Every structure is written in structure tokens, then in C-alpha cells.
Amino acid sequence: MIVLKSCLRAVCTLVFVCLFSRAAAAQSVLNFPARDVRGISITNTTRYAADLKFTLYDADGSLSSAPLNPVSRRVPPKGQSSFVASEIFGMAERQRAGTWIQASSATSGLEGMYASGESSRSGSTGGEAFDPHTVQTIPYIPSDSRTPTAIQLTNPSSQAANFTITFFNGAGGIVASPFTNALPARAQMNITTPPRATSARIRSDVGIIAIAAANGGDIPLMVRGQGSKSQAQVLVAPYFRNGDNVSSQLILTNSNNTDAEVTVTFFSNVGSQPIPPARVLLRANGSWWPTGPSEGWALIEAPGAPLSGLVVVTSGNTRSAIPLQVAPSDRMLFSGPAGKTDFDPTLNLVGTWERDAAVTITLSRTDGSTIAKRDISVAPLSRYSAKLSDLISDYDRDAAGYLTVRSTMPVYGLQLNSGEGGAVLSGMSPQDLAPGFQPSPAAGVPTINSIEPLPTGPDGVKKISIVGQNIDGNATLSIGGRIVPMTAALAGGPFTAELPDLQPGYVNVKVRSSGVESRAFQLLVAPDDVPYVLRTGHALYEKVEVLESGLDPNRTVLEPIRGARVEVWDPFTRQAVSVSETDDDGNFRIVVPDQVGLRVRVLSRLRSVDVRVLDNTAGNQLYVLTKEIGDPLDPTEIELIESTRQAGAFNILDNVHRGNALLAQTDLQAAPPPLTVYWSEKNTESVLLRLTEGKARSTFFDPRTNTAYIGGDRNTDSDEFDDSVILHEYAHLLAARFSRDDSPGGPHFIGEYLDPRLAWSEGWANFFSSAARGSSIYIDSKSPGVPPVRYDLEEDIPPNDRPGYNSEATVGSILWDLLDENRDNSDSAQFPFATLWSAFTDLRSVRGYVYLPFFLETFLDRNSDFADELRAMVIRRGLDFQPGARPSVVNPFPRTIASGESRGGNLDSFNSKRTNLNNSSQFYTFSTATGASATITLVIDNAGPANNPNANDLDLFLTDVNGRQLAVANRVGNGQPEILSGVRLGPGTYYIEVRSYYTDDQTNTTVFNSGGYRLSLQLR
């Protein structure tokens, strides 16, 4: 077993058994192998913020020498982010020639799009991210008499791939000899196609990506390799048109070594058949190019023989490969073109056979808010086609992010993108929509258009006037992260607000209305009577990656420094002359006085809230990333990159910022606690013991003082890059501020029967850490050569666990199943984090020790219609939960004892040397309606489980429901009874604790005992 962390309370050390048998972690890997990719758009329809790592590879598989590579970005929950490929890697577009891009995230369910080709808004094309396959067919190899078609192979995996490519003609005959070769990890290879080849089959021992590309026309025609997911016995072509300078050709390829009977039926938009169905015996590995009508859609049927295929659309001098659809769906995502374009996309939906489909189409902004919804009906075997500008009256291509389609019956879908003159540039297949995705209510996004100063009143208070849109009377305003009262003027006029004291520089102002937050308005506070210039910059730090194998200092990713205070610093006066802050991409704007000798500094503190990371081995000073500004008039963007061990301070800061962001999404009024974090690479176990006054030797958050101490010694255990651990510990701080936590602290192991209060506290912290990171996987790296601790909340009952309310695994997995979007076993829940947070904060009003059943009760108080499903989830983990009953479990904690009753039990901390196991102490509860005089007697009746008659000193404690100690019986005496006699009590509920350990006053050490006992209670 491996000791993990120190948590809440005295010495609350988190410990897990390291499991070596494990399932692969769920994640998103998005590949963009085309070498002319200019823009990338990532859509995140999950409820978690997702960190995304972009990596640029050279054709030989090596890491490209781009200035920023790899680099990370964060995509908001239910949001979308677009990136210019050259800008994200900090290089000129021409320098990226011969490279390709991979994006990866620990959050599963992300979808990616790319734009390539010309850089003009209307002259580019693109498509979805590419999936690798071990067996795939290129159903059409474009012919070009001027330039031979090349097949580009890309190996996106970390191991070499051995492949064989076979070319076929239209009759299914092999053209030339099969080509076999090896493709190194992350490498690309181009293969020229032989003459007369019309299709190709690629087999490999590792999944690779294959693309056939022809350079003829205005835009290169690219045909993807189609694996099993793109092949089917029933295929639908949702778009088919001939006329008005557009021609369409359906191409079908038999991806099998046996002949196939194929029927193609063309339908008009209203479901009629303009020409008779065409049937053919398609030879093994052969191709067929059936002729179609002027407009409509096509149904392809090949019983027992999955086919590959596409529609090639020629419009003017442009050819595009439009994918066929293999299956209908009732939930679809269309991410749209990557980056802003002049496209007006066309949505095509085809109904299936059964009955009309009632379809709801939702257009969302990039922040996840809803622009508009439209309900339509799609008849069986008919096609619905409409431009978004016609479908949604509020369509604004500059504001639009992505489109979702939900229907009562599965339908086929396709998004068509057209350029100048109606030229068809690309067709986008529907992507996966996260199972738990629900669009937000349609609402206008609040916008701040302008902020103007108002005359200072006689009281000296400075005020501002705010003009904006979609701001209601209940809106809240934040200036630099501080909530400021805002007053609306009459007749829809501007709002007014008091302006807090601000240093010169930029400050972010946001307004939140109807649950939607505006983009930040950067308010410029100019220095008085000082000439100044405006400069921009960005700040990043090198984040060391924590892998399944542990912390790997040789693998880093450049992470933006988010929300940090930025100063323009005068080293002569040692004062900040202006301040600003970084945004979520690490960018900042600063006010620079027109003088030389100034520096820009990024500090290890958030500007918006009182959160700081200090170096406890250097006078408790902030960590500082600094750079000379030089000539203030130089327009060059200022770049700061922290690549030393100091980067750990900014990673700690970023995790607190991430936890606060999750809190802000839930309740903007829930002000996060101030926090001072002490971290240094010199923080060894002995240093932490000294800092925490002997309470902890590893990472420790203290909610009583709002401080934290984080280990940094890599020879033993450093935590500055263990995101799982930092957010777990921060969750304890949030529990103490917003909920109730009665945990006794101490070490804990998977499979242990813990004190229920400890199990609840640690299970909650595990859950919050995963919710903030968007991953069920918890990894805590250790010292070099020591395997990390790994834990997966997706496991309902991990190996060696003892499920129930005494298990932190039970607590964490139930909470995760209530939130996550993976429906497994009896898990049918998909609740927003805000729903769980509300029930969590309701625990503040619980009178009694907080443990799992109390949360289940507060949760059902708010979600009563989920009682049956929740009970099934809990029973699966061995807990007989009874919704509506009080107590709600068969064996409640504490156990009840009545006046005149005698209860027996056994305690043992002697063998375990532990104070927080369920068997270290036992608790009983009783109530009195009118008050009473209580006599409580504890008698030792046997040597106990440890069978050691010399260690049978048990003690007696009486507390109220708030944990306030009322009486103690702890006289020294092995095997001697303990009595609390005549304790006067008022009306209420009380707890009795029978404890098997105590602290020796002379040695200040813990003495452990065991014993069987008999407890009796008399109330008079």
C-alpha cells in the first residue's frame, strides 16, 4: 500500500492500494493529418471543462520544432473553441509545411473539425477529425491526367505500424503488386497510385489514417479511408443533385472478397421514386457508378455485404467528396466549419421508414448558450433541406457555434457547406452528441457595449455607466472578480455601478443575466497625466505531464497562465505602475508608460480573488515570471514562458482557478474562499511537518486558516503537477466553507471499513477533483521508480473494496454516476453539477454527523422522482437504502440506544494502530424531548478482537449534534469501567462515542487498545 496525501483535519492521509490491472482511460484523440490545415474547431458538448493538448509532428514522426509545441488550451463545458493552427504553435504558416496536428484530452466526448485550403474565408474546405483504422477502403481514387493521385498514410499512434496496401480496378481486379511497408510512430508517408486503380484496401497491425488526394480543381479533392464504422449493408446519400452547374456521381465499392447484390433506389425530396431502382451483382472488390436523377437522395441496400462509398459533387471547377451515412440517429451534432467563414451551411435530414420524426434543431453559441430553436417534421422517406439562415431567423454566422439535432425518430443527417457561386465545398457527417447534453434555454447573451465614467459625487464615490444588451434587472456585475451592486436606470437606460479602487491598467468587467455570462469587457483605467502606450502579450508555463507511469519530467506541455495578476513594474521605484490579468488563453493587455527600463511581471496570484502561491523557503514571496519591456513603442507581442521548476507554482494556481470556475458555473454568488498556498521544490517531509506543526508530512489543506502546504521534493513525492491531488484537497476547503464536514481525518485505504464521516469526506473530494478535471481517473505520482496511485470513479466496486457507506469508493462512484454521461450497470442518471452542489450545500443544515445517507436524502428532497433509480444505484453497492424512511438505511450511523437499554460491541485499534476505522470507535445516539439527567456506563466484558488483556482501556465521550463535547470518562485503568453520572441535558439529540485509543499526556503519543464492551444508558 502507498501513502498518498494529507487531507482535512489533524492528519488525514489519503491512501490507496495501487491497482496494476486496469482498463484504458476514456479520452479524446483528434487527428488532423492534412498538411494544409489552417483552422481547428473543438466542440465540447460534455458538462466538463476540457483541457486539450495540441501537438505538431513532422512527417518523420518527430516532434516539430515549433516555438510552442506541444501547447494546451481549455474548452468550456457545452462550448466550442476555434484555433488558427499557425498561431497556436507560435509560427508563420509557411513554416508549418510538412507537419500534421494531433489534439488529445483526458475528457472523452470531444469532437473536432478542421478548415484547410485557401486562407480566404470563402475559398477553403474541411471536415471532421480523422479516425484511424486497421482495415479500411478508399472507395474512390480520383483520376487526374496531369498529376498522379497520392495516398497519404498517417500513423497517429505511439508505435510503428506495418501495413499492406492493395489497389483494385472497377471490376475488382488487383492493379500492380500489393505494397507492404512499415510506418514509424507519428509519421506520414505518401504512396503514388498506379494507373487504372479505382479503389484501395489498406490493412495494418496498428490503426492508421489513409487519404487519397488529387490536386485538380480549385480545391484538392480528398477521399478518406473508410473503416467498419463507415461501411454498412444499408447506406444513405442525403444529398444528390444534377443541374444548375452541379453534377453528382454516386460511387459504391464492395469492400469484401465475395460478390454482393446491390440495389440503389433514388428518391425525390418528397419520397417518390423518379427512376426505377437499379440492381447489380457487384463483384468482389469492385466498384459501381450508378446514374441518378436531377435532385433528391439515394438508398443503397446490400444484404450481407457491407459497402463503402461516397458522392462526388462537381460544381464549377470544384470537386467534393460527400460521405454516405451508415445509420440514422435521434441525437446529432454538427460542429460547423472551423473558424469564421462566409459559409451559409445547409442542413439535410432524411426520414426513415416508420413514421414522421418530430425534430428539434438548436443553434448554440461557442459559450454553450442557445441562440434559437426550431421545431420541424420530417416525413418517412423524404428529405428536408434548408439553409441555416432560412431555418433560423436569428442566424448570425459570426455568433454561431454549433448545431444539435434531436428527434423522436432516428433520421439521417448531413451538413453541406457551399462557397462562392454555390460551389459545394464539403459535406459534414453528424458527430456524436454527449449523452447528457441538454441545450440551455434560448436567451440573448448579455453584452457590455460601453462603460463610461460618471461625475464623482459629493461623497467621493466613483461610479460608471454601463450600456449593454440582454441585461435584466436581476443581473450581477463583477469587476476584477468582485461582485459589485448594479442599478438599472428607468425606461431601459444604462446601468450604474460603483467603481472600486483600481490601479491603472486593464480590469475585466462581466455581467451575468438569466444564467448567461457576458464576455469580459476590458475596462481601461488610464494613469493620470502620464503618456502611455498599449501592449499585448501572452504568458505560459511548462507543465510536466503525469502519465499512467507517473510524473515524467521529459514530457511537458505549454499551458496558459490563466487569471493571473500582470504588472508593469518599475524596478527603480519598486512599484507597479499598472496592472492587468491574463485570460483563459494566457493573453493579456497592459498599459505601459512611455519610459524605458520597465518590466512586465506575471505573479503567482489570481487578480480576481485572494488566491496566492508563495515560496515558503524564500520569505513567503510570490513566484514571479518577468521580462524586460524595452522600447515601449515596440509593437511586438510580449511572450513570457516559465520553464523552470517555478512552473509548479503556476500549475497550483491554475488548479485552484479551475476549481473556482466550476463553482462559478454553479453559483456566481458563491464567493470562493481566500487561499494562501505554500509550495517550494524544497518542501520535503520534514519541512511540511514543521510548517504544519507536526500535523502532516505531505500535501495538506487547512480549512481553519485557509492555507495549504504542498510537497515539492521529487526524491520522495512532489505534488505541484498532481492535478488530481490539488483539486481533491481544495474540495475539502470548499466543503468546510459551503457544506459540513465531520471527518476525523487520517489515512485511508481501498477496501477498508472506514469511519463513515471519513468515507463521505474523501469520496466527495475524489468526486469534485474528477468533476473539475473532466475525467474519472485519479492519478497521484510518487517518487522516481514508485508506481503512481491510480483510481477510476467509473468502477462501482473496485477490486478489494468493501462497498457501503464506510467505503470512499462507494461515495465517489455514486456521486460520479449521478453526474457522468456514461450509462452503465444501473446508472441512468445525468444530473448537472449544480444539482449535486445544491444537495451538498444542504448538508449545512443537517443536525448530526454527515455521511453518505444524509446526502442521498438531501438529494432526493430536491429530486424526488429519481428515488427508484437512486435506490438501485445504491443497492448495487451493498447499501440497503430506503428513500423516504428515517433513518434511510437499515444500519444507520450512529446506532440508536434507548434509556434502559444495553448495547454491546467490540473495538480494536490495537492491531491497526489507526484512529479512523469503523472499528476504532463506535457511536450511539439518543434523544430526549424534555431534557433529562443521563447516566452512561461502559463495562469491559472481554479481551476484545486483539485478544490482549493488557490493552483494554476504552473511554467514553458525550457530545451534542454539533460535535461539542459535553462530558468525558477516560480514567486510566486497563479493563476498568467508565461512568458518566448525572449529566444534565436539555431537550435534543446527543451522541455517545466509545473510543479505543487515547493520547498519552506525558509522551504525546497515541496509545491503542481493544476490547469487548457493554454500554448502558439511563435517563431520568
Side-chain angles (χ1 to χ4, degrees):
M1 301 187 200
I2 302 175
V3 176
L4 183 56
K5 296 301 137 210
S6 297
C7 308
L8 185 66
R9 304 297 182 192
V11 184
C12 174
T13 306
L14 180 61
V15 183
F16 286 125
V17 174
C18 193
L19 306 178
F20 297 96
S21 173
R22 62 189 64 163
Q27 60 177 348
S28 299
V29 179
L30 306 171
N31 300 297
F32 304 96
R35 295 181 180 177
D36 60 348
V37 169
R38 293 183 180 273
I40 291 176
S41 178
I42 306 297
T43 304
N44 174 19
T45 55
T46 76
R47 56 193 54 179
Y48 322 108
D51 278 357
L52 197 71
K53 180 175 77 170
F54 290 94
T55 307
L56 189 68
Y57 292 102
D58 288 332
D60 63 1
S62 62
L63 202 65
S64 176
S65 58
L68 308 177
N69 186 36
V71 64
S72 178
R73 290 293 184 269
R74 187 165 293 161
V75 186
K78 295 171 62 174
Q80 185 184 65
S81 297
S82 296
F83 311 94
V84 176
S86 57
E87 291 179 1
I88 196 171
F89 294 109
M91 62 195 309
E93 184 62 38
R94 65 181 182 276
Q95 295 175 313
R96 251 189 353 98
T99 63
W100 69 279
I101 300 168
Q102 185 175 76
S104 58
S105 174
T107 302
S108 61
L110 306 185
E111 298 292 349
M113 305 286 294
Y114 73 96
S116 64
E118 298 295 329
S119 58
S120 64
R121 288 164 63 101
S122 58
S124 61
T125 184
E128 313 98 276
F130 290 75
D131 292 326
H133 307 284
T134 55
V135 180
Q136 56 191 306
T137 297
I138 295 178
Y140 170 60
I141 296 178
S143 58
D144 188 332
S145 58
R146 296 168 297 174
T147 306
T149 297
I151 292 183
Q152 181 190 74
L153 301 180
T154 305
N155 179 7
S157 73
S158 57
Q159 62 186 91
N162 298 301
F163 70 90
T164 298
I165 181 168
T166 306
F167 295 95
F168 301 95
N169 58 27
I174 296 177
V175 179
S177 299
F179 179 75
T180 299
N181 207 335
L183 187 59
R186 318 291 192 195
Q188 290 187 320
M189 179 183 297
N190 286 335
I191 299 172
T192 302
T193 60
R196 300 180 301 282
T198 61
S199 66
R201 184 84 38 76
I202 302 102
R203 299 179 182 273
S204 56
D205 56 358
V206 173
I208 61 175
I209 297 166
I211 306 170
N215 293 322
D218 292 337
I219 299 174
L221 175 64
M222 291 201 310
V223 180
R224 298 166 176 247
Q226 298 181 6
S228 58
K229 290 184 179 180
S230 302
Q231 302 166 356
Q233 301 175 42
V234 176
L235 295 163
V236 165
Y239 173 85
F240 198 91
R241 186 179 183 187
N242 287 296
D244 295 332
N245 201 34
V246 176
S247 64
S248 301
Q249 178 62 64
L250 175 63
I251 301 172
L252 300 174
T253 297
N254 185 355
S255 305
N256 304 276
N257 293 322
T258 57
D259 297 348
E261 293 184 358
V262 182
T263 301
V264 175
T265 307
F266 288 98
F267 292 87
S268 68
N269 290 342
V270 295
S272 61
Q273 298 181 23
I275 60 176
R279 296 180 176 86
V280 72
L281 182 67
L282 186 55
R283 296 298 182 185
N285 304 308
S287 298
W288 181 31
W289 298 33
T291 302
S294 60
E295 186 173 9
W297 62 280
L299 171 66
I300 302 101
E301 299 169 284
L307 300 182
S308 302
L310 71 161
V311 175
V312 175
V313 178
T314 303
S315 46
N317 199 31
T318 299
R319 286 190 301 166
S320 301
I322 308 301
L324 303 181
Q325 304 305 306
V326 301
S329 174
D330 59 358
R331 293 174 60 84
M332 293 184 283
L333 163 69
F334 293 99
S335 295
K340 300 304 178 186
T341 70
D342 286 333
F343 298 153
D344 186 358
T346 300
L347 179 65
N348 299 272
L349 301 175
V350 175
T352 53
W353 292 262
E354 291 85 351
R355 59 181 182 271
D356 286 1
V359 179
T360 299
I361 301 167
T362 304
L363 182 63
S364 298
R365 301 180 182 87
T366 55
D367 63 1
S369 62
T370 297
I371 296 176
K373 293 183 181 180
R374 174 74 183 274
D375 293 326
I376 64 169
S377 179
V378 179
L381 299 180
S382 69
R383 183 174 81 114
Y384 177 90
S385 179
K387 289 184 177 295
L388 286 190
S389 57
D390 296 330
L391 182 65
I392 296 177
S393 59
D394 296 330
Y395 177 66
D396 179 353
R397 65 173 56 92
D398 290 324
Y402 58 92
L403 199 71
T404 56
V405 176
R406 294 174 297 155
S407 59
T408 56
M409 291 293 297
V411 295
Y412 292 91
L414 177 76
Q415 177 179 302
L416 208 65
N417 298 321
S418 300
E420 293 179 350
V424 176
L425 300 180
S426 61
M428 309 295 187
S429 295
Q431 296 176 298
D432 291 334
L433 184 61
F437 176 82
Q438 291 292 332
S440 306
V445 172
T447 303
I448 299 176
N449 296 329
S450 65
I451 298 178
E452 299 293 338
L454 294 174
T456 302
D459 55 359
V461 175
K462 296 179 180 179
K463 292 188 176 183
I464 53 175
S465 170
I466 303 143
V467 176
Q469 296 173 310
N470 302 317
I471 303 175
D472 62 29
N474 296 319
T476 56
L477 184 75
S478 67
I479 300 178
R482 286 180 283 180
I483 304 300
V484 177
M486 188 168 60
T487 304
L490 298 176
F495 289 77
T496 60
E498 291 186 9
L499 187 66
D501 289 335
L502 296 170
Q503 293 177 270
Y506 280 101
V507 62
N508 286 340
V509 182
K510 297 180 181 180
V511 63
R512 188 180 184 94
S513 181
S514 300
V516 182
E517 189 170 76
S518 71
R519 293 182 181 273
F521 183 98
Q522 289 194 315
L523 177 63
L524 172 61
V525 180
D528 293 333
D529 302 323
V530 177
Y532 63 89
V533 294
L534 305 181
R535 297 286 298 274
T536 62
H538 62 270
L540 305 100
Y541 69 93
E542 277 194 358
K543 181 186 181 84
V544 179
E545 294 193 63
V546 176
L547 310 175
E548 297 274 338
S549 56
L551 186 74
D552 188 347
N554 296 317
R555 288 179 58 118
T556 61
V557 59
L558 287 169
E559 193 85 21
I561 299 177
R562 302 177 177 93
R565 179 182 174 95
V566 180
E567 297 179 343
V568 175
W569 182 258
D570 187 338
F572 300 102
T573 63
R574 301 194 60 80
Q575 289 184 339
V577 296
S578 73
V579 297
S580 182
E581 65 184 295
T582 57
D583 66 12
D584 281 349
D585 290 329
N587 300 317
F588 59 85
R589 301 170 71 187
I590 53 175
V591 173
V592 182
D594 189 9
Q595 67 183 75
V596 297
L598 300 177
R599 298 174 183 172
V600 60
R601 310 197 316 168
V602 181
L603 308 179
S604 61
R605 58 159 290 190
L606 300 181
R607 174 175 180 172
S608 58
V609 292
D610 189 12
V611 175
R612 303 175 299 166
V613 181
L614 306 181
D615 185 350
N616 55 273
T617 60
N620 292 334
Q621 296 197 18
L622 290 163
Y623 289 89
V624 179
L625 174 59
T626 185
K627 188 173 186 177
E628 300 285 345
I629 293 178
D631 182 0
L633 300 177
D634 184 353
T636 306
E637 186 175 56
I638 302 170
E639 180 180 88
L640 298 97
I641 298 178
E642 180 57 79
S643 56
T644 71
R645 282 291 305 274
Q646 288 193 158
F650 293 102
N651 191 66
I652 295 167
L653 191 72
D654 187 62
N655 275 281
V656 177
H657 183 55
R658 178 158 49 174
N660 289 342
L662 178 60
L663 190 61
Q665 293 162 19
T666 303
D667 182 1
L668 190 64
Q669 301 295 337
L675 176 63
T676 301
V677 181
Y678 299 99
W679 172 79
S680 166
E681 61 182 283
K682 301 175 184 178
N683 276 359
T684 62
E685 291 185 358
S686 60
V687 170
L688 292 176
L689 279 170
R690 176 175 52 80
L691 288 172
T692 62
E693 297 179 348
K695 297 173 184 176
R697 62 181 70 246
S698 57
T699 295
F700 175 79
F701 277 52
D702 191 340
R704 295 166 297 185
T705 59
N706 288 336
T707 56
Y709 308 89
I710 294 183
D713 180 17
R714 288 190 179 167
N715 293 321
T716 54
D717 183 12
S718 63
D719 286 330
E720 68 272 15
F721 293 110
D722 283 340
D723 298 352
S724 301
V725 174
I726 296 169
L727 283 161
H728 170 105
E729 299 298 335
Y730 189 50
H732 287 310
L733 206 67
L734 297 179
R737 183 178 183 92
F738 296 107
S739 184
R740 174 170 171 169
D741 194 331
D742 299 305
S743 172
H748 37 109
F749 297 79
I750 288 293
E752 285 189 326
Y753 215 52
L754 298 173
D755 182 309
R757 301 168 298 172
L758 175 66
W760 164 253
S761 177
E762 300 306 325
W764 153 259
N766 295 337
F767 161 72
F768 181 86
S769 173
S770 285
R773 292 179 291 107
S775 171
S776 64
I777 305 298
Y778 182 110
I779 299 180
D780 175 20
S781 67
K782 297 298 175 183
S783 58
V786 177
V789 169
R790 181 187 186 275
Y791 183 72
D792 190 352
L793 289 183
E794 282 288 1
E795 292 186 276
D796 293 347
I797 306 175
N800 305 316
D801 188 40
R802 298 172 64 186
Y805 62 62
N806 296 86
S807 162
E808 68 177 285
T810 292
V811 173
S813 67
I814 286 176
L815 292 171
W816 183 255
D817 277 354
L818 287 171
L819 175 76
D820 83 323
E821 295 158 344
N822 294 324
R823 297 194 174 195
D824 50 22
N825 301 319
S826 59
D827 169 20
S828 60
Q830 293 173 356
F831 289 93
F833 179 80
T835 302
L836 278 70
W837 178 261
S838 296
F840 175 70
T841 56
D842 285 346
L843 295 174
R844 286 175 297 191
S845 61
V846 168
R847 296 183 61 81
Y849 291 140
V850 170
Y851 72 133
L852 175 62
F854 283 169
F855 171 82
L856 301 178
E857 293 167 12
T858 60
F859 180 81
L860 287 182
D861 286 343
R862 292 175 172 268
N863 307 278
S864 57
D865 57 348
F866 194 70
D868 292 341
E869 292 88 341
L870 181 61
R871 184 170 188 269
M873 292 169 61
V874 176
I875 285 179
R876 175 174 172 77
R877 295 164 172 87
L879 184 58
D880 191 0
F881 177 63
Q882 303 290 332
R886 295 296 182 270
S888 58
V889 289
V890 174
N891 275 323
F893 170 82
R895 290 182 283 181
T896 58
I897 184 171
S899 179
E901 186 178 8
S902 179
R903 303 291 297 268
N906 289 282
L907 293 180
D908 179 18
S909 63
F910 182 83
N911 280 332
S912 65
K913 301 297 187 288
R914 297 276 297 285
T915 63
N916 62 359
L917 299 181
N918 188 67
N919 207 39
S920 300
S921 293
Q922 289 179 0
F923 294 81
Y924 298 86
T925 183
F926 66 92
S927 299
T928 172
T930 60
S933 174
T935 298
I936 306 169
T937 304
L938 175 69
V939 176
I940 310 300
D941 60 7
N942 61 59
N947 197 26
N948 188 339
N950 297 318
N952 301 144
D953 186 6
L954 307 184
D955 297 325
L956 203 55
F957 295 81
L958 179 65
T959 61
D960 62 16
V961 291
N962 294 314
R964 184 168 60 94
Q965 196 173 96
L966 303 178
V968 177
N970 61 346
R971 64 178 183 175
V972 177
N974 183 63
Q976 298 299 308
E978 301 284 2
I979 300 175
L980 293 172
S981 180
V983 182
R984 295 300 305 174
L985 302 175
T989 299
Y990 299 90
Y991 290 142
I992 303 170
E993 178 186 359
V994 183
R995 187 182 293 179
S996 67
Y997 59 90
Y998 65 91
T999 300
D1000 189 310
D1001 293 335
Q1002 294 182 343
T1003 63
N1004 198 30
T1005 59
T1006 304
V1007 179
F1008 301 98
N1009 292 276
S1010 71
Y1013 67 86
R1014 179 65 53 180
L1015 178 73
S1016 60
L1017 170 67
Q1018 294 292 334
L1019 298 178
R1020 293 184 175 83

mmCIF file of all heavy atoms in Angstrom, residues 184-199:
data_model
loop_
_atom_site.group_PDB
_atom_site.id
_atom_site.type_symbol
_atom_site.label_atom_id
_atom_site.label_comp_id
_atom_site.label_asym_id
_atom_site.label_seq_id
_atom_site.Cartn_x
_atom_site.Cartn_y
_atom_site.Cartn_z
ATOM 1 N N PRO A 184 6.644 4.488 -39.228
ATOM 2 C CA PRO A 184 7.042 4.782 -37.842
ATOM 3 C C PRO A 184 5.933 5.502 -37.073
ATOM 4 O O PRO A 184 5.004 6.066 -37.651
ATOM 5 C CB PRO A 184 8.273 5.686 -38.017
ATOM 6 C CG PRO A 184 8.781 5.392 -39.390
ATOM 7 C CD PRO A 184 7.569 5.082 -40.210
ATOM 8 N N ALA A 185 6.059 5.472 -35.770
ATOM 9 C CA ALA A 185 5.095 6.161 -34.910
ATOM 10 C C ALA A 185 5.037 7.637 -35.272
ATOM 11 O O ALA A 185 6.058 8.292 -35.495
ATOM 12 C CB ALA A 185 5.485 5.986 -33.449
ATOM 13 N N ARG A 186 3.801 8.182 -35.360
ATOM 14 C CA ARG A 186 3.514 9.592 -35.634
ATOM 15 C C ARG A 186 3.997 10.047 -37.009
ATOM 16 O O ARG A 186 3.988 11.240 -37.293
ATOM 17 C CB ARG A 186 4.143 10.508 -34.583
ATOM 18 C CG ARG A 186 4.036 10.043 -33.160
ATOM 19 C CD ARG A 186 2.642 10.084 -32.635
ATOM 20 N NE ARG A 186 2.632 9.904 -31.179
ATOM 21 C CZ ARG A 186 1.580 9.618 -30.460
ATOM 22 N NH1 ARG A 186 0.411 9.450 -31.058
ATOM 23 N NH2 ARG A 186 1.656 9.486 -29.145
ATOM 24 N N ALA A 187 4.394 9.139 -37.878
ATOM 25 C CA ALA A 187 4.979 9.513 -39.165
ATOM 26 C C ALA A 187 3.923 9.505 -40.264
ATOM 27 O O ALA A 187 2.830 8.954 -40.118
ATOM 28 C CB ALA A 187 6.128 8.583 -39.527
ATOM 29 N N GLN A 188 4.288 10.142 -41.397
ATOM 30 C CA GLN A 188 3.451 10.151 -42.583
ATOM 31 C C GLN A 188 4.246 9.634 -43.779
ATOM 32 O O GLN A 188 5.462 9.739 -43.829
ATOM 33 C CB GLN A 188 2.945 11.573 -42.881
ATOM 34 C CG GLN A 188 1.937 12.088 -41.884
ATOM 35 C CD GLN A 188 1.345 13.420 -42.302
ATOM 36 O OE1 GLN A 188 2.041 14.287 -42.812
ATOM 37 N NE2 GLN A 188 0.050 13.587 -42.073
ATOM 38 N N MET A 189 3.513 9.078 -44.752
ATOM 39 C CA MET A 189 4.131 8.538 -45.957
ATOM 40 C C MET A 189 3.182 8.748 -47.121
ATOM 41 O O MET A 189 1.970 8.563 -46.986
ATOM 42 C CB MET A 189 4.431 7.044 -45.774
ATOM 43 C CG MET A 189 5.067 6.378 -46.981
ATOM 44 S SD MET A 189 5.296 4.592 -46.705
ATOM 45 C CE MET A 189 6.451 4.602 -45.339
ATOM 46 N N ASN A 190 3.713 9.149 -48.272
ATOM 47 C CA ASN A 190 2.923 9.300 -49.483
ATOM 48 C C ASN A 190 3.218 8.159 -50.445
ATOM 49 O O ASN A 190 4.385 7.812 -50.672
ATOM 50 C CB ASN A 190 3.226 10.633 -50.173
ATOM 51 C CG ASN A 190 2.617 11.808 -49.424
ATOM 52 O OD1 ASN A 190 1.638 11.647 -48.707
ATOM 53 N ND2 ASN A 190 3.192 12.980 -49.591
ATOM 54 N N ILE A 191 2.164 7.599 -51.034
ATOM 55 C CA ILE A 191 2.287 6.496 -51.985
ATOM 56 C C ILE A 191 1.548 6.889 -53.259
ATOM 57 O O ILE A 191 0.358 7.235 -53.210
ATOM 58 C CB ILE A 191 1.705 5.192 -51.402
ATOM 59 C CG1 ILE A 191 2.479 4.805 -50.144
ATOM 60 C CG2 ILE A 191 1.739 4.074 -52.433
ATOM 61 C CD1 ILE A 191 1.860 3.653 -49.395
ATOM 62 N N THR A 192 2.229 6.846 -54.378
ATOM 63 C CA THR A 192 1.604 7.187 -55.652
ATOM 64 C C THR A 192 0.758 6.025 -56.130
ATOM 65 O O THR A 192 1.200 4.861 -56.123
ATOM 66 C CB THR A 192 2.675 7.533 -56.697
ATOM 67 O OG1 THR A 192 3.464 8.621 -56.212
ATOM 68 C CG2 THR A 192 2.032 7.925 -58.021
ATOM 69 N N THR A 193 -0.460 6.300 -56.568
ATOM 70 C CA THR A 193 -1.356 5.234 -57.015
ATOM 71 C C THR A 193 -0.983 4.816 -58.438
ATOM 72 O O THR A 193 -0.614 5.656 -59.277
ATOM 73 C CB THR A 193 -2.813 5.691 -56.980
ATOM 74 O OG1 THR A 193 -2.976 6.812 -57.846
ATOM 75 C CG2 THR A 193 -3.212 6.101 -55.578
ATOM 76 N N PRO A 194 -1.087 3.529 -58.751
ATOM 77 C CA PRO A 194 -0.791 3.057 -60.111
ATOM 78 C C PRO A 194 -1.909 3.449 -61.074
ATOM 79 O O PRO A 194 -3.035 3.724 -60.657
ATOM 80 C CB PRO A 194 -0.698 1.542 -59.941
ATOM 81 C CG PRO A 194 -1.547 1.232 -58.749
ATOM 82 C CD PRO A 194 -1.418 2.429 -57.841
ATOM 83 N N PRO A 195 -1.626 3.517 -62.359
ATOM 84 C CA PRO A 195 -2.675 3.840 -63.336
ATOM 85 C C PRO A 195 -3.819 2.813 -63.291
ATOM 86 O O PRO A 195 -3.622 1.651 -62.930
ATOM 87 C CB PRO A 195 -1.927 3.779 -64.678
ATOM 88 C CG PRO A 195 -0.483 3.944 -64.324
ATOM 89 C CD PRO A 195 -0.307 3.327 -62.976
ATOM 90 N N ARG A 196 -5.002 3.257 -63.612
ATOM 91 C CA ARG A 196 -6.219 2.433 -63.710
ATOM 92 C C ARG A 196 -6.735 1.943 -62.361
ATOM 93 O O ARG A 196 -7.713 1.216 -62.297
ATOM 94 C CB ARG A 196 -6.030 1.236 -64.648
ATOM 95 C CG ARG A 196 -5.678 1.631 -66.076
ATOM 96 C CD ARG A 196 -5.502 0.410 -66.950
ATOM 97 N NE ARG A 196 -4.473 -0.477 -66.467
ATOM 98 C CZ ARG A 196 -3.169 -0.290 -66.623
ATOM 99 N NH1 ARG A 196 -2.726 0.773 -67.280
ATOM 100 N NH2 ARG A 196 -2.293 -1.144 -66.158
ATOM 101 N N ALA A 197 -6.110 2.354 -61.256
ATOM 102 C CA ALA A 197 -6.642 1.957 -59.947
ATOM 103 C C ALA A 197 -7.835 2.848 -59.605
ATOM 104 O O ALA A 197 -7.773 4.075 -59.737
ATOM 105 C CB ALA A 197 -5.567 2.076 -58.873
ATOM 106 N N THR A 198 -8.936 2.225 -59.161
ATOM 107 C CA THR A 198 -10.131 2.993 -58.787
ATOM 108 C C THR A 198 -10.421 2.930 -57.296
ATOM 109 O O THR A 198 -11.217 3.723 -56.783
ATOM 110 C CB THR A 198 -11.357 2.481 -59.563
ATOM 111 O OG1 THR A 198 -11.583 1.102 -59.250
ATOM 112 C CG2 THR A 198 -11.156 2.644 -61.073
ATOM 113 N N SER A 199 -9.843 1.967 -56.583
ATOM 114 C CA SER A 199 -10.033 1.862 -55.142
ATOM 115 C C SER A 199 -8.807 1.208 -54.523
ATOM 116 O O SER A 199 -7.946 0.683 -55.236
ATOM 117 C CB SER A 199 -11.305 1.067 -54.790
ATOM 118 O OG SER A 199 -11.161 -0.287 -55.188
#
